[in-house]
Amino acid sequence: MSFEGLEVGYDIPAKPGMAVSDIATPALVIDLDALEANLRKMGAMAAGMGVALRPHGKMHKSADVARLQHDIGGASGICCQKVSEAEAFIRAGITDVLVTNQVRGAKVDRLARLPLLGAKVGVCVDDLASVAELAEAAARHGTELRVLVEIECGGGRCGVVDPADVVTIAKAVIDAPGLTFDGIQAYHGSLQHVQTYADRLKGFEAQIATVQAAIKALTEAGIACPTVTGAGSGSFEFEGRSGIYTELQCGSYAFMDVDYGRIEAEGGGRLDGDWRNALFVAATIISKTRPGLAVGDAGLKAMTTESGLPTVFGRSDVHAAGVSDEHSNLSDPTDSLKIGDRLRLIPGHCDPTCNLHDWYVAIRGDTVEALWPVTARGKSF
Amino acid sequence: MSFEGLEVGYDIPAKPGMAVSDIATPALVIDLDALEANLRKMGAMAAGMGVALRPHGKMHKSADVARLQHDIGGASGICCQKVSEAEAFIRAGITDVLVTNQVRGAKVDRLARLPLLGAKVGVCVDDLASVAELAEAAARHGTELRVLVEIECGGGRCGVVDPADVVTIAKAVIDAPGLTFDGIQAYHGSLQHVQTYADRLKGFEAQIATVQAAIKALTEAGIACPTVTGAGSGSFEFEGRSGIYTELQCGSYAFMDVDYGRIEAEGGGRLDGDWRNALFVAATIISKTRPGLAVGDAGLKAMTTESGLPTVFGRSDVHAAGVSDEHSNLSDPTDSLKIGDRLRLIPGHCDPTCNLHDWYVAIRGDTVEALWPVTARGKSF
């Protein structure tokens, strides 16, 4: 990728080869050593559990990260949540994409065109009328869509509730030309963020009972269910070892964030003991006029706080006390911070934070190694 | 602006002339009638109070909205918070921009180059060393920068605390070639969101005492203070009537949001009684599998929630119960919502919500009248 004509500090936050200390802040930074370690670890874990890995691209929205997940991290494809995201990934060369969401209305036509670009494309349904919409669009374009029935398994959002409806919808998919029934989508989003390991395990027991009821209903109706897919970075070991799930959709393991870092791992440690923090918002101190306080240049337009404040990586002497639109207030009780000092902030929630930025600055040690576009940034349609 | 080659639902959410019901969702929608009414009202109020109006462009980040604020809303220039934002506005033709923030390090050089593009450029300082940095850069480029000393007047963020330091810094600005001392920046951010009118007034009394102390110190040192600028949409009538402030920097009045809508206006009503909701996130229902709940397609990547959940415009029968990365859960006790239904959500906090989107869809009645780029989206450097 050429960065000719792009200006550091306006178009892009850095150029490859620059010192990390010269990155224009605020910027979204990936520590490549940490990212690669996370990707390899998850690839090995999925392989060890005998399940496929289809990491969630909604988290990073980056074709470069997706390629690395494929090349070194054992991934067989990616997930995303929106048709425009799938388009962005496929246009950038990703060839196996599952939209883990309902696609309705005018977007169905866009989805059904995507296999024409050479990609294998999947989608979820939780409503009978959705099947006919997808089949019509697939027929219009002469394409094939892989379809999973999404079940409600505790997250309280989309998904079929009654196993009998799962069977009805699966049969409609099987009967529809252009659609292939591939199994069940069963993701429990809110379980990922349950604090204690014991409570997560308990939540998973209810989840797996729901999944088993759906599979039982399909089996009794003579319908094979090749794929059972779901799981996030807070629960994937449960799904992976269940003997029921065939595929994991974890996303945040690649980067980690403050919210996941708070969560208890098996054995009593924290999840950021198992996974390295690979994602940071680089910030610079721009004001220091009072004792105990320093003000940084990264605010709500550089990181989101709906899951809590950022933490300061590698520093125990300072911490984030508040974040406003363009500033972060840093509590600095020993007045160790001065104008121009740089900090690495771990964002509260990685997914919406990544979506704020146009570029990832991929660093190794003190050097910028690469600049990656946030391929699907803003693709929320 | 030509939209040739741009695809609705991928590159852009709509094209001018389309029906509002065909906008690809989620999308950022401006009701032009409401926006124009807000702009005219504020222009008249500022004129009535005898103060200048320099609306905050950090809120909308749009050169089109800025132009409308100038053309029909009495604005004499705009504010923004970042150098990259100022660059984006100036490249888009805005000719008078005040950066209401500290600019340090490598960004100073970029700032000092901006007058070469034909714009009048101002900036704030709250540290003596900042003055020398700005002067050096202005000399390097042969440009002139307008400089205001930012004072801490209650917001608890940037700004000089001691009036004696205000004088020291002002003198340094006056002595520096290439810099013009223009007065005081005194904005109290957190005051804007104080719920009751009486509490806001009380907060303002402390604020204005701080401002007066700074002016007194300057006057005693023989330094004229042509400009006293600040104020937001929750407090501007206090500043406007103070006889001390010469310029208002309100931003949110143009669009309104849930957070401002909660705030008590003078006389006991709410601020969204004084100002019309002009900004919406258009959303579509994509899943409805359980009684009492419907799921929309606008999540945290289409609107931010750090200031609270969105509300549903024009509907009292449904309300937002939760927002996750790509979904909003809508409480629908009478099960009135169905797949494909469209809602207009009023975002909790307008500034960071606007920054998520690439385009404003400007509508009048049922028709898309214009599509405006979010000129400075992502410009956080």
Side-chain angles (χ1 to χ4, degrees), chain A residues 7-10 25-26 58 82 84 87 91 101 107 110 126 156-157 159 161 287 289-290 297 301 305-306 324-325 327 329 349 351 355-356 358 377 379-381, chain B residues 7-10 25-26 58 82 84 87 91 101 107 110 126 156-157 159 161 287 289-290 297 301 305-306 324-325 327 329 349 351 355-356 358 377 379-381:
Chain A
E7 289 181 56
V8 172
Y10 182 74
T25 63
K58 83 182 184 79
K82 297 293 182 109
S84 57
E87 289 178 291
R91 289 180 186 197
N101 202 357
K107 294 183 177 73
R110 299 190 69 85
D126 70 359
R157 206 164 56 193
V161 176
S287 174
T289 63
R290 276 168 302 154
D297 63 356
K301 294 171 189 168
T305 60
E306 74 289 330
S324 50
D325 285 3
H327 299 91
N329 274 14
H349 186 184
D351 306 50
N355 183 54
L356 294 171
D358 293 301
R377 194 218 62 76
K379 297 301 182 197
S380 294
F381 305 128
Chain B
E7 290 181 56
V8 172
Y10 182 75
T25 63
K58 84 181 185 80
K82 298 295 181 108
S84 57
E87 289 178 293
R91 289 181 186 196
N101 202 357
K107 295 183 175 74
R110 299 190 69 88
D126 70 0
R157 204 164 56 193
V161 176
S287 174
T289 63
R290 275 167 303 153
D297 63 356
K301 295 171 190 170
T305 60
E306 74 289 330
S324 51
D325 284 3
H327 300 91
N329 275 14
H349 186 184
D351 306 50
N355 184 53
L356 294 171
D358 293 301
R377 194 218 61 76
K379 297 300 183 198
S380 294
F381 305 127

Coordinates of all heavy atoms in Angstrom, one line a residue, chain A residues 7-10 25-26 58 82 84 87 91 101 107 110 126 156-157 159 161 287 289-290 297 301 305-306 324-325 327 329 349 351 355-356 358 377 379-381, chain B residues 7-10 25-26 58 82 84 87 91 101 107 110 126 156-157 159 161 287 289-290 297 301 305-306 324-325 327 329 349 351 355-356 358 377 379-381:
Chain A
E7 N -0.9 12.9 4.2 CA -0.2 13.7 5.2 C -0.3 13.1 6.6 O -1.4 12.9 7.1 CB -0.7 15.1 5.2 CG -0.3 15.9 3.9 CD -0.8 17.3 4.0 OE1 -0.5 18.0 5.0 OE2 -1.6 17.7 3.1
V8 N 0.8 12.9 7.3 CA 0.8 12.4 8.7 C 0.2 13.6 9.5 O 0.7 14.7 9.4 CB 2.2 12.0 9.1 CG1 2.2 11.8 10.7 CG2 2.7 10.8 8.4
G9 N -0.8 13.3 10.3 CA -1.4 14.3 11.2 C -2.7 14.8 10.5 O -3.4 15.6 11.2
Y10 N -2.9 14.5 9.3 CA -4.2 14.9 8.7 C -4.9 13.6 8.1 O -5.9 13.2 8.6 CB -4.0 16.0 7.6 CG -5.4 16.4 7.0 CD1 -6.2 17.2 7.7 CD2 -5.8 15.9 5.8 CE1 -7.5 17.5 7.2 CE2 -7.0 16.3 5.2 CZ -7.9 17.1 6.0 OH -9.1 17.4 5.5
T25 N -1.1 11.8 17.5 CA -2.2 11.2 18.4 C -3.4 12.1 18.4 O -3.3 13.3 18.1 CB -1.6 11.1 19.8 OG1 -1.3 12.5 20.3 CG2 -0.4 10.2 19.9
P26 N -4.6 11.6 18.8 CA -4.8 10.2 19.2 C -4.8 9.2 18.0 O -5.2 9.6 16.9 CB -6.2 10.2 19.8 CG -6.9 11.4 19.2 CD -5.8 12.4 19.0
K58 N -16.5 -8.0 13.0 CA -17.1 -6.8 13.4 C -16.3 -6.1 14.5 O -16.4 -4.9 14.6 CB -18.5 -7.1 14.1 CG -18.4 -7.6 15.5 CD -19.8 -7.9 16.1 CE -19.7 -8.3 17.5 NZ -19.6 -7.1 18.4
K82 N -23.0 -6.8 9.3 CA -23.7 -6.0 8.4 C -23.3 -6.4 6.9 O -22.2 -6.8 6.6 CB -23.4 -4.5 8.6 CG -23.9 -4.1 10.0 CD -25.4 -4.1 10.2 CE -25.8 -3.6 11.5 NZ -26.4 -2.3 11.4
S84 N -22.9 -4.3 4.5 CA -21.9 -3.4 4.0 C -20.5 -3.8 4.5 O -19.5 -3.6 3.8 CB -22.2 -1.9 4.3 OG -22.3 -1.8 5.7
E87 N -19.4 -6.7 2.3 CA -19.0 -6.1 1.0 C -17.6 -5.6 1.2 O -16.7 -5.9 0.3 CB -19.9 -5.0 0.6 CG -21.3 -5.5 0.1 CD -22.2 -4.3 -0.3 OE1 -22.6 -3.5 0.6 OE2 -22.5 -4.2 -1.5
R91 N -14.6 -7.3 -0.9 CA -13.9 -6.4 -1.9 C -12.4 -6.4 -1.6 O -11.6 -6.1 -2.4 CB -14.4 -5.0 -1.9 CG -15.8 -4.8 -2.5 CD -16.3 -3.4 -2.4 NE -17.7 -3.3 -2.9 CZ -18.2 -2.1 -3.2 NH1 -17.5 -1.0 -3.2 NH2 -19.5 -2.0 -3.6
N101 N -26.3 -12.2 11.5 CA -27.3 -11.3 11.8 C -28.5 -11.5 10.8 O -28.3 -12.1 9.7 CB -26.7 -9.8 11.6 CG -27.5 -8.8 12.4 OD1 -28.6 -9.1 13.0 ND2 -27.0 -7.6 12.3
K107 N -31.4 -4.6 1.7 CA -30.1 -5.1 1.9 C -30.0 -6.6 1.4 O -28.9 -7.1 1.1 CB -29.7 -5.1 3.3 CG -29.6 -3.7 3.9 CD -29.1 -3.7 5.3 CE -28.9 -2.3 5.8 NZ -30.1 -1.6 6.0
R110 N -28.4 -6.9 -2.0 CA -26.9 -6.6 -2.0 C -26.2 -7.9 -1.5 O -25.1 -8.2 -2.0 CB -26.5 -5.5 -1.0 CG -27.1 -4.1 -1.4 CD -26.5 -3.0 -0.6 NE -25.2 -2.8 -1.0 CZ -24.7 -2.0 -2.0 NH1 -25.6 -1.4 -2.7 NH2 -23.5 -1.9 -2.3
D126 N -34.2 -15.6 11.5 CA -34.9 -15.9 12.7 C -36.4 -15.8 12.4 O -37.2 -15.7 13.4 CB -34.5 -15.2 13.9 CG -34.8 -13.7 13.9 OD1 -35.4 -13.2 12.9 OD2 -34.5 -13.0 14.8
G156 N -31.1 -12.4 24.7 CA -32.2 -11.5 24.8 C -32.3 -10.6 23.6 O -32.7 -9.4 23.8
R157 N -32.0 -11.0 22.4 CA -32.0 -10.1 21.3 C -32.7 -10.8 20.1 O -33.9 -11.0 20.2 CB -30.5 -9.7 21.0 CG -30.4 -8.4 20.3 CD -28.9 -7.9 20.3 NE -28.0 -8.9 19.8 CZ -26.7 -8.8 19.9 NH1 -26.1 -7.9 20.6 NH2 -25.9 -9.7 19.3
G159 N -33.3 -14.0 17.4 CA -33.2 -15.5 17.5 C -34.6 -16.1 17.7 O -35.4 -15.6 18.5
V161 N -37.2 -18.7 19.3 CA -37.4 -19.2 20.7 C -37.8 -20.6 20.7 O -37.2 -21.5 21.4 CB -38.4 -18.3 21.4 CG1 -38.6 -18.8 22.8 CG2 -37.8 -16.8 21.5
S287 N -2.2 19.5 28.3 CA -2.4 20.6 29.3 C -2.1 20.0 30.7 O -2.5 18.9 31.0 CB -3.8 21.1 29.2 OG -4.1 22.0 30.2
T289 N -2.2 22.2 34.2 CA -2.2 23.5 34.9 C -2.5 23.4 36.3 O -2.5 24.4 37.0 CB -3.3 24.5 34.2 OG1 -4.6 24.0 34.4 CG2 -3.0 24.7 32.8
R290 N -2.8 22.2 36.8 CA -3.2 22.1 38.2 C -2.6 20.8 38.8 O -2.4 19.8 38.1 CB -4.7 22.0 38.4 CG -5.3 23.4 38.4 CD -6.8 23.4 38.3 NE -7.1 22.7 37.1 CZ -8.3 22.1 36.9 NH1 -9.1 22.0 37.8 NH2 -8.5 21.6 35.7
D297 N -5.0 14.2 24.9 CA -5.7 14.6 23.7 C -6.6 13.5 23.1 O -7.1 13.7 21.9 CB -4.7 15.0 22.6 CG -3.7 13.9 22.2 OD1 -3.8 12.8 22.7 OD2 -2.9 14.1 21.3
K301 N -14.1 10.8 20.8 CA -14.0 10.6 19.3 C -12.8 9.7 19.0 O -12.6 9.4 17.8 CB -14.0 11.9 18.6 CG -15.3 12.7 18.8 CD -15.4 14.1 18.3 CE -16.6 14.8 18.8 NZ -16.6 16.2 18.6
T305 N -16.7 4.9 25.8 CA -16.6 4.7 27.2 C -17.9 4.0 27.8 O -18.1 3.9 29.0 CB -16.4 6.0 28.0 OG1 -17.5 6.9 27.7 CG2 -15.1 6.6 27.6
E306 N -18.8 3.5 26.9 CA -20.0 3.0 27.4 C -19.8 1.7 28.2 O -20.6 1.3 29.0 CB -21.0 2.7 26.2 CG -20.7 1.5 25.3 CD -19.5 1.7 24.4 OE1 -19.3 2.9 24.0 OE2 -18.8 0.7 24.1
S324 N -14.0 13.3 28.0 CA -15.0 14.1 27.4 C -14.8 14.1 25.9 O -14.0 13.3 25.4 CB -15.0 15.6 27.9 OG -13.7 16.0 27.9
D325 N -15.5 14.9 25.1 CA -15.5 14.7 23.6 C -14.1 14.6 23.0 O -13.8 13.7 22.2 CB -16.2 15.8 22.9 CG -17.7 15.7 23.1 OD1 -18.2 14.7 23.8 OD2 -18.5 16.5 22.5
H327 N -11.0 15.2 25.1 CA -10.0 15.2 26.2 C -10.2 14.0 27.1 O -11.3 13.5 27.3 CB -10.1 16.4 27.0 CG -9.9 17.7 26.3 ND1 -11.0 18.4 25.8 CD2 -8.8 18.5 26.0 CE1 -10.5 19.5 25.2 NE2 -9.2 19.6 25.3
N329 N -9.2 13.3 31.1 CA -8.6 13.8 32.3 C -7.9 12.7 33.0 O -8.5 11.6 33.3 CB -9.7 14.4 33.2 CG -10.0 15.8 32.9 OD1 -9.6 16.3 31.9 ND2 -10.7 16.5 33.8
H349 N -13.9 -0.6 25.5 CA -14.6 -1.6 24.7 C -14.0 -1.5 23.3 O -14.0 -0.4 22.6 CB -16.1 -1.1 24.7 CG -17.0 -2.1 23.9 ND1 -18.3 -1.8 23.8 CD2 -16.8 -3.3 23.3 CE1 -18.9 -2.8 23.1 NE2 -18.0 -3.7 22.8
D351 N -14.6 -3.0 20.2 CA -15.3 -2.9 18.9 C -15.7 -1.5 18.5 O -15.3 -1.1 17.4 CB -16.6 -3.8 19.0 CG -16.4 -5.2 19.4 OD1 -15.7 -5.4 20.4 OD2 -16.9 -6.1 18.7
N355 N -14.0 1.2 15.4 CA -14.9 1.8 14.4 C -14.8 3.3 14.3 O -15.3 4.0 13.4 CB -16.3 1.4 14.6 CG -17.3 1.9 13.6 OD1 -17.1 1.6 12.4 ND2 -18.3 2.6 14.0
L356 N -14.1 4.0 15.3 CA -13.9 5.4 15.2 C -12.8 5.9 14.3 O -12.7 7.0 13.9 CB -13.6 6.0 16.6 CG -14.8 5.8 17.7 CD1 -14.3 6.2 19.0 CD2 -15.9 6.7 17.3
D358 N -9.8 5.6 11.1 CA -9.6 5.2 9.8 C -8.4 4.2 9.6 O -8.3 3.5 8.6 CB -9.4 6.4 8.9 CG -10.7 7.3 8.8 OD1 -11.7 6.7 8.4 OD2 -10.6 8.4 9.3
R377 N -14.7 0.4 8.4 CA -15.1 1.5 9.3 C -16.3 2.2 8.8 O -16.4 2.5 7.6 CB -14.0 2.5 9.5 CG -14.2 3.4 10.7 CD -13.8 4.8 10.5 NE -14.5 5.4 9.4 CZ -15.8 5.9 9.4 NH1 -16.5 5.8 10.6 NH2 -16.4 6.4 8.4
K379 N -19.1 1.1 8.1 CA -20.0 0.2 7.3 C -21.0 -0.4 8.3 O -20.9 -1.5 8.8 CB -19.2 -0.9 6.6 CG -18.2 -0.3 5.6 CD -18.9 0.5 4.5 CE -17.9 1.0 3.4 NZ -18.5 2.2 2.7
S380 N -22.0 0.4 8.6 CA -23.1 -0.1 9.5 C -24.4 -0.4 8.8 O -25.4 -0.8 9.5 CB -23.4 1.0 10.6 OG -22.2 1.2 11.4
F381 N -24.4 -0.2 7.5 CA -25.7 -0.4 6.8 C -26.0 -1.9 6.7 O -25.1 -2.7 6.6 CB -25.6 0.0 5.3 CG -25.2 1.5 5.1 CD1 -24.1 1.8 4.3 CD2 -25.8 2.5 5.8 CE1 -23.7 3.1 4.1 CE2 -25.4 3.8 5.6 CZ -24.4 4.1 4.8
Chain B
E7 N -22.6 4.0 -4.3 CA -23.7 3.1 -4.2 C -24.5 3.3 -2.9 O -23.9 3.3 -1.8 CB -23.2 1.6 -4.2 CG -22.7 1.2 -5.5 CD -22.2 -0.3 -5.4 OE1 -23.0 -1.1 -5.1 OE2 -21.0 -0.5 -5.7
V8 N -25.8 3.5 -3.0 CA -26.6 3.6 -1.8 C -26.6 2.3 -1.1 O -26.8 1.2 -1.7 CB -28.1 4.0 -2.2 CG1 -29.0 3.9 -1.0 CG2 -28.1 5.4 -2.8
G9 N -26.3 2.3 0.2 CA -26.3 1.1 1.0 C -24.9 0.6 1.2 O -24.6 -0.3 2.0
Y10 N -23.9 1.2 0.5 CA -22.5 0.8 0.7 C -21.7 2.1 0.9 O -21.2 2.4 2.0 CB -21.9 0.0 -0.5 CG -20.5 -0.4 -0.2 CD1 -20.2 -1.4 0.7 CD2 -19.4 0.3 -0.8 CE1 -18.9 -1.7 1.0 CE2 -18.1 0.0 -0.5 CZ -17.8 -1.0 0.4 OH -16.5 -1.3 0.7
T25 N -30.5 2.2 6.3 CA -30.3 2.5 7.7 C -29.2 1.5 8.3 O -29.0 0.5 7.7 CB -31.6 2.3 8.5 OG1 -32.0 0.9 8.4 CG2 -32.7 3.2 8.0
P26 N -28.6 1.9 9.4 CA -28.8 3.1 10.1 C -28.1 4.3 9.4 O -27.1 4.1 8.7 CB -28.0 2.9 11.5 CG -27.1 1.8 11.1 CD -27.7 1.0 10.1
K58 N -17.1 21.3 16.3 CA -16.7 20.0 16.8 C -18.0 19.2 16.9 O -17.9 17.9 16.9 CB -16.1 20.1 18.2 CG -17.0 20.2 19.4 CD -16.3 20.3 20.7 CE -17.3 20.3 21.8 NZ -17.8 19.0 22.2
K82 N -9.6 20.5 17.2 CA -8.4 19.9 16.7 C -7.8 20.5 15.5 O -8.6 21.1 14.7 CB -8.7 18.4 16.4 CG -9.1 17.6 17.6 CD -8.0 17.5 18.7 CE -8.5 16.6 19.9 NZ -7.8 15.4 20.0
S84 N -6.5 19.0 12.9 CA -7.0 18.3 11.7 C -8.4 18.7 11.3 O -8.8 18.8 10.2 CB -6.9 16.8 11.8 OG -7.6 16.4 13.0
E87 N -8.2 22.1 9.7 CA -7.7 21.9 8.3 C -8.9 21.4 7.4 O -9.1 21.9 6.3 CB -6.6 20.8 8.3 CG -5.3 21.3 8.8 CD -4.3 20.1 8.8 OE1 -4.4 19.1 9.5 OE2 -3.3 20.3 8.1
R91 N -10.1 23.7 4.4 CA -10.0 23.1 3.0 C -11.4 23.1 2.3 O -11.5 23.2 1.1 CB -9.5 21.7 3.0 CG -8.0 21.6 3.4 CD -7.6 20.1 3.4 NE -6.2 20.0 3.8 CZ -5.5 18.9 3.6 NH1 -6.0 17.9 3.0 NH2 -4.2 18.8 4.1
N101 N -8.7 25.0 22.0 CA -8.0 24.0 22.6 C -6.5 24.3 22.6 O -6.0 25.2 21.9 CB -8.2 22.6 21.9 CG -8.0 21.4 22.7 OD1 -7.6 21.5 23.9 ND2 -8.2 20.3 22.1
K107 N 1.9 19.3 16.0 CA 0.7 19.9 15.4 C 0.8 21.4 15.3 O 0.0 22.0 14.5 CB -0.5 19.6 16.3 CG -0.8 18.1 16.3 CD -2.1 17.9 17.1 CE -2.5 16.4 17.1 NZ -1.6 15.6 17.9
R110 N 1.5 22.5 11.8 CA 0.3 22.4 10.9 C -0.6 23.6 11.1 O -1.2 24.1 10.1 CB -0.4 21.1 11.1 CG 0.4 19.8 10.9 CD -0.5 18.6 10.9 NE -1.4 18.6 9.7 CZ -1.0 18.1 8.6 NH1 0.1 17.5 8.4 NH2 -1.9 18.1 7.6
D126 N -2.6 27.7 27.5 CA -2.8 27.8 28.9 C -1.5 27.5 29.6 O -1.4 27.2 30.8 CB -3.9 26.8 29.4 CG -3.5 25.3 29.3 OD1 -2.3 25.0 28.8 OD2 -4.3 24.4 29.7
G156 N -12.9 22.1 35.1 CA -12.0 21.1 35.6 C -11.1 20.4 34.6 O -10.9 19.2 34.8
R157 N -10.7 21.1 33.6 CA -10.0 20.4 32.5 C -8.7 21.3 32.2 O -7.9 21.4 33.1 CB -10.9 20.3 31.3 CG -10.5 19.1 30.4 CD -11.6 18.8 29.5 NE -12.1 19.9 28.7 CZ -13.2 19.9 28.0 NH1 -14.0 18.9 28.0 NH2 -13.6 21.0 27.3
G159 N -6.8 25.0 31.1 CA -7.0 26.4 31.5 C -6.2 26.9 32.6 O -5.9 26.2 33.6
V161 N -5.2 28.9 36.0 CA -5.9 29.0 37.2 C -5.7 30.4 37.8 O -6.6 31.1 38.2 CB -5.5 27.9 38.2 CG1 -6.2 28.1 39.6 CG2 -5.9 26.6 37.7
S287 N -35.7 -7.7 13.6 CA -36.0 -9.0 14.2 C -37.1 -8.7 15.2 O -37.1 -7.7 16.0 CB -34.8 -9.5 14.9 OG -35.1 -10.7 15.7
T289 N -39.0 -11.6 17.5 CA -39.3 -13.0 17.8 C -40.0 -13.3 19.1 O -40.4 -14.4 19.4 CB -38.0 -13.9 17.7 OG1 -37.1 -13.5 18.7 CG2 -37.3 -13.8 16.4
R290 N -40.1 -12.2 19.9 CA -40.7 -12.4 21.2 C -41.6 -11.3 21.6 O -41.4 -10.1 21.2 CB -39.6 -12.5 22.3 CG -39.0 -13.9 22.4 CD -37.8 -13.9 23.2 NE -36.8 -13.1 22.6 CZ -35.8 -12.5 23.3 NH1 -35.7 -12.7 24.6 NH2 -34.9 -11.7 22.6
D297 N -31.7 -2.0 13.8 CA -30.4 -2.2 13.2 C -29.4 -1.1 13.5 O -28.3 -1.0 12.9 CB -30.6 -2.3 11.7 CG -31.1 -1.1 11.0 OD1 -31.5 -0.1 11.7 OD2 -31.2 -1.0 9.8
K301 N -22.3 1.5 16.8 CA -21.5 2.0 15.7 C -22.3 3.1 14.9 O -21.8 3.6 14.0 CB -21.0 0.9 14.9 CG -20.0 0.0 15.7 CD -19.6 -1.3 15.0 CE -18.8 -2.1 16.0 NZ -18.6 -3.5 15.5
T305 N -23.7 6.0 23.5 CA -24.6 5.9 24.6 C -24.0 6.3 25.9 O -24.6 6.2 27.0 CB -25.2 4.5 24.8 OG1 -24.1 3.6 25.0 CG2 -26.0 4.0 23.6
E306 N -22.8 6.9 25.9 CA -22.1 7.3 27.2 C -22.9 8.4 27.9 O -22.8 8.5 29.1 CB -20.7 7.8 27.0 CG -20.5 9.1 26.3 CD -20.9 9.2 24.9 OE1 -20.8 8.1 24.2 OE2 -21.3 10.2 24.4
S324 N -26.6 -2.5 21.8 CA -25.3 -3.2 21.8 C -24.6 -2.8 20.5 O -25.0 -1.9 19.8 CB -25.6 -4.7 21.9 OG -26.6 -5.1 20.9
D325 N -23.5 -3.5 20.1 CA -22.6 -3.0 19.0 C -23.4 -2.7 17.8 O -23.2 -1.6 17.2 CB -21.5 -4.0 18.7 CG -20.4 -4.0 19.8 OD1 -20.6 -3.3 20.8 OD2 -19.5 -4.8 19.6
H327 N -27.0 -3.5 17.4 CA -28.5 -3.6 17.6 C -29.0 -2.7 18.6 O -28.2 -2.3 19.6 CB -28.8 -5.0 18.0 CG -28.4 -6.1 17.1 ND1 -27.2 -6.8 17.2 CD2 -29.1 -6.7 16.1 CE1 -27.2 -7.7 16.2 NE2 -28.3 -7.7 15.5
N329 N -32.3 -2.8 21.2 CA -33.4 -3.5 21.7 C -34.5 -2.5 22.1 O -34.3 -1.6 22.8 CB -33.1 -4.3 23.0 CG -32.5 -5.7 22.6 OD1 -32.1 -5.9 21.5 ND2 -32.5 -6.6 23.6
H349 N -26.2 11.6 22.8 CA -25.2 12.7 22.8 C -24.8 12.9 21.3 O -24.3 12.1 20.6 CB -24.0 12.2 23.6 CG -22.9 13.2 23.8 ND1 -21.7 12.8 24.4 CD2 -22.8 14.5 23.4 CE1 -20.9 13.9 24.4 NE2 -21.5 14.9 23.8
D351 N -22.6 15.0 19.6 CA -21.2 15.2 19.1 C -20.6 13.9 18.7 O -20.2 13.7 17.5 CB -20.3 15.9 20.1 CG -20.8 17.2 20.6 OD1 -22.0 17.3 21.0 OD2 -20.1 18.2 20.6
N355 N -19.8 12.0 14.7 CA -18.5 11.6 14.3 C -18.4 10.1 13.9 O -17.4 9.7 13.3 CB -17.5 11.8 15.5 CG -16.1 11.5 15.1 OD1 -15.6 12.0 14.1 ND2 -15.4 10.6 15.9
L356 N -19.5 9.3 14.1 CA -19.5 7.9 13.6 C -19.8 7.8 12.1 O -19.5 6.8 11.5 CB -20.5 7.1 14.4 CG -20.3 7.0 15.9 CD1 -21.5 6.4 16.6 CD2 -19.0 6.1 16.1
D358 N -20.3 9.0 8.0 CA -19.6 9.7 6.9 C -20.5 10.7 6.2 O -20.0 11.6 5.6 CB -19.2 8.7 5.8 CG -18.1 7.8 6.4 OD1 -17.0 8.3 6.8 OD2 -18.3 6.5 6.4
R377 N -15.1 14.3 9.9 CA -15.3 13.0 10.7 C -13.9 12.3 10.9 O -13.1 12.3 9.9 CB -16.2 12.0 9.9 CG -16.7 10.8 10.8 CD -16.7 9.5 10.0 NE -15.4 9.1 9.5 CZ -14.5 8.6 10.2 NH1 -14.6 8.4 11.5 NH2 -13.3 8.3 9.6
K379 N -11.4 13.3 12.3 CA -10.3 14.3 12.4 C -10.1 14.6 13.9 O -10.6 15.6 14.4 CB -10.5 15.5 11.5 CG -10.6 15.3 10.0 CD -9.4 14.6 9.5 CE -9.5 14.4 8.0 NZ -8.5 13.5 7.5
S380 N -9.4 13.7 14.5 CA -9.2 13.8 16.0 C -7.7 14.2 16.3 O -7.4 14.3 17.4 CB -9.5 12.5 16.7 OG -10.9 12.3 16.6
F381 N -6.9 14.3 15.3 CA -5.5 14.6 15.5 C -5.3 16.0 16.0 O -6.0 16.9 15.5 CB -4.6 14.4 14.2 CG -4.8 13.1 13.5 CD1 -5.1 13.1 12.2 CD2 -4.5 11.9 14.2 CE1 -5.2 11.8 11.5 CE2 -4.6 10.7 13.5 CZ -4.9 10.7 12.2

